[in-house]
Amino acid sequence: MQAAAIIAIFSLVILASLAVAPRRATIDGFFGGAGASGRAPGLLVLVLSQVTTWIFARSLMNAAILGYFYGIWGTLAYAAYYGSFLTGGFIVGRLRDGGAGSVQDWLGARFGVAGVTCYNVVIALRLLSEVFANLLVVGLIFAAALPEVGLAREASILLVAVLGLAYSAWGGLSAALRTDVLQMLVFLVIFALAFGALVTSPGFDLGAVLTSQGTSGSWNGQVLLLVAFLQVFSYPAHDPVMMDRGFIADRDTTRRSFLHAFWISGLCIIAFGFFGIQAAIIGAEYEGQLIGTWMGMFPPWLFVALLVSLLISALSTLDSALASAARLVVDELKLTPRTLNGGRVAMIVFMIAGALLTLWGNQTLFDAVAVSGTASMFLTPVLLVGLVLRREVALWSYMVAFGAAIMGAAAYFAREDVFTAILSEAHKYEQLLVICVGVLVVGFTAVLLGSRKAL
């Protein structure tokens, strides 16, 4: 019964998304998000699109899982990444002050092809991780909802990948923006009902939630909060979904959209984290990325609402990630002609690659955030010194900072294999903190040594 309800509601959302997607696709709409009349999106569209593409399924699950293990500190640590809307809005404003139309424009003017290529490699990996992680959550949900169906995980991933690709490839960014509004409104209604049921349930105690230390103590959540503060400046700059939305509307609309997206998404993430914290408080056993845990904790309708919320957020992120992948491949890398079919080919390649990655054994959802967040940290010294302080930075400095960040990401990724001898036997988040500090020290040293006043 629960599985049937989940499938029925999610199917209606997919059908509605297909219905609201633009009937006619234009080049400007596909790559730049312009509407049928050629107008840029308004404030409400931009805010809802920013929020729904950032409170995606992986993030909701991460907030709940970190809350389960590390209490309120774990959830706050993940919510701190949503300060990216503030730092991202600041970066976009500075870029537009200088006449840049994208991060690539600014980097290309200062570091040439090498600088842009390094950046594009990082954001390509970021986009691929978005597709992979959200499809993975879809598979986890249907595997839990349909345990008696042997191929439920694989079949659901394939079906959502095909349907999400269908309307994304038809309208590109304009389709993503229009469907984001529908999907976000449905998400907010369903999630509000679920959250209301949680906080009014007999066993819920707000004081206990706000002071919870989770099942593993609060220390590693506090460590992760420090990591988030170290990564929050560079993190939005390597997220093409956020950056793409920073250049499609006028500057005042864009600035306000980032501010509103910050507080709305932050509240949603913290609220979803409460579901994980509550599971720890009542002593529920951790099972299947918390999905199995919630099945035993909540009444059927609430369990359905939670999973539908996750599925909607996964769908809304997939279309935006594919739209950004098309712009990256066509406008930045220029690997295909700037045509609708050129963008669609890029989308298909990214969707296939992301779906294939779900066959990989690692299902630790935060690892993708940690690896891509660490890889992006070369941008922190480069942007602070070059963009904020307006100093010229040497190419060698940029490359050293980039190399340090990539090495740091690789060290965290292979912490249990190649880098075991270098990293101590501390908890993985303590190792991540050490790696991040090291990356920033090397990056700032190189950039400061290689910088001078602009002429």
Side-chain angles (χ1 to χ4, degrees), residues 48-60 82 126-135 138 160 164 167-168 176 179-180 183-184 239 241-242 245 309-325 351:
L48 293 178
S49 181
Q50 289 270 38
V51 173
T52 193
T53 52
W54 259 61
I55 56 168
F56 38 83
R58 181 185 69 189
S59 289
L60 294 173
Y82 287 76
R126 164 76 178 177
L127 288 170
L128 191 58
S129 78
E130 293 307 308
V131 177
F132 150 70
N134 284 281
L135 287 177
V138 170
V160 171
Y167 73 80
S168 300
T179 56
D180 283 348
Q183 291 158 2
M184 187 61 197
D239 182 77
V241 173
M242 179 185 286
R245 283 157 176 73
S309 298
L310 288 168
L311 289 170
I312 292 171
S313 62
L315 185 66
S316 67
T317 303
L318 284 172
D319 58 26
S320 294
L322 293 176
S324 290
M351 184 63 91

Side-chain angles (χ1 to χ4, degrees), residues 237-412:
H238 94 300
D239 182 77
V241 173
M242 179 185 286
M243 289 294 103
D244 286 352
R245 283 157 176 73
F247 296 91
I248 58 178
D250 65 84
R251 295 186 60 180
D252 181 61
T253 299
T254 301
R255 179 185 59 80
R256 288 188 291 153
S257 75
F258 275 84
L259 291 174
H260 289 307
F262 163 66
W263 68 264
I264 295 172
S265 59
L267 286 178
C268 287
I269 286 295
I270 293 172
F272 208 91
F274 280 16
F275 286 91
I277 297 172
Q278 180 67 8
I281 288 174
I282 67 173
E285 290 295 322
Y286 183 84
E287 181 184 345
Q289 304 280 4
L290 283 182
I291 295 173
T293 304
W294 288 332
M295 187 183 296
M297 277 179 60
F298 300 124
W301 78 266
L302 180 51
F303 178 68
V304 169
L306 279 174
L307 297 198
V308 170
S309 298
L310 288 168
L311 289 170
I312 292 171
S313 62
L315 185 66
S316 67
T317 303
L318 284 172
D319 58 26
S320 294
L322 293 176
S324 290
R327 201 191 77 78
L328 171 66
V329 170
V330 174
D331 284 349
E332 302 299 341
L333 298 178
K334 303 188 187 309
L335 296 178
T336 64
R338 197 174 197 270
T339 62
L340 297 179
N341 286 337
R344 287 163 180 163
V345 168
M347 288 182 170
I348 292 170
V349 170
F350 270 79
M351 184 63 91
I352 291 174
L356 289 175
L357 279 175
T358 62
L359 303 176
W360 175 43
N362 189 352
Q363 295 187 356
T364 304
L365 294 175
F366 184 73
D367 277 1
V369 177
V371 171
S372 70
T374 304
S376 76
M377 292 182 74
F378 76 98
L379 292 168
T380 299
V382 171
L383 291 175
L384 284 174
V385 175
L387 183 65
V388 179
L389 299 181
R390 302 184 189 281
R391 295 177 65 88
E392 289 188 4
V393 178
L395 177 60
W396 72 263
S397 302
Y398 177 93
M399 297 305 293
V400 169
F402 174 76
I406 295 300
M407 184 64 72
Y412 184 76

Side-chain angles (χ1 to χ4, degrees), residues 215-240:
T215 60
S216 301
S218 61
W219 168 248
N220 287 316
Q222 295 166 355
V223 170
L224 198 54
L225 182 60
L226 290 176
V227 171
F229 285 142
L230 293 178
Q231 294 186 350
V232 75
F233 187 80
S234 62
Y235 201 85
H238 94 300
D239 182 77

Side-chain angles (χ1 to χ4, degrees), residues 106-119 378 381-382 385-386 391-404 442-443 445-452:
W106 187 85
L107 291 174
R110 284 152 183 81
F111 307 108
V113 175
V116 175
T117 300
C118 291
Y119 175 78
F378 76 98
V382 171
V385 175
R391 295 177 65 88
E392 289 188 4
V393 178
L395 177 60
W396 72 263
S397 302
Y398 177 93
M399 297 305 293
V400 169
F402 174 76
V442 173
T445 300
V447 169
L448 290 172
L449 287 175
S451 69
R452 61 187 178 88

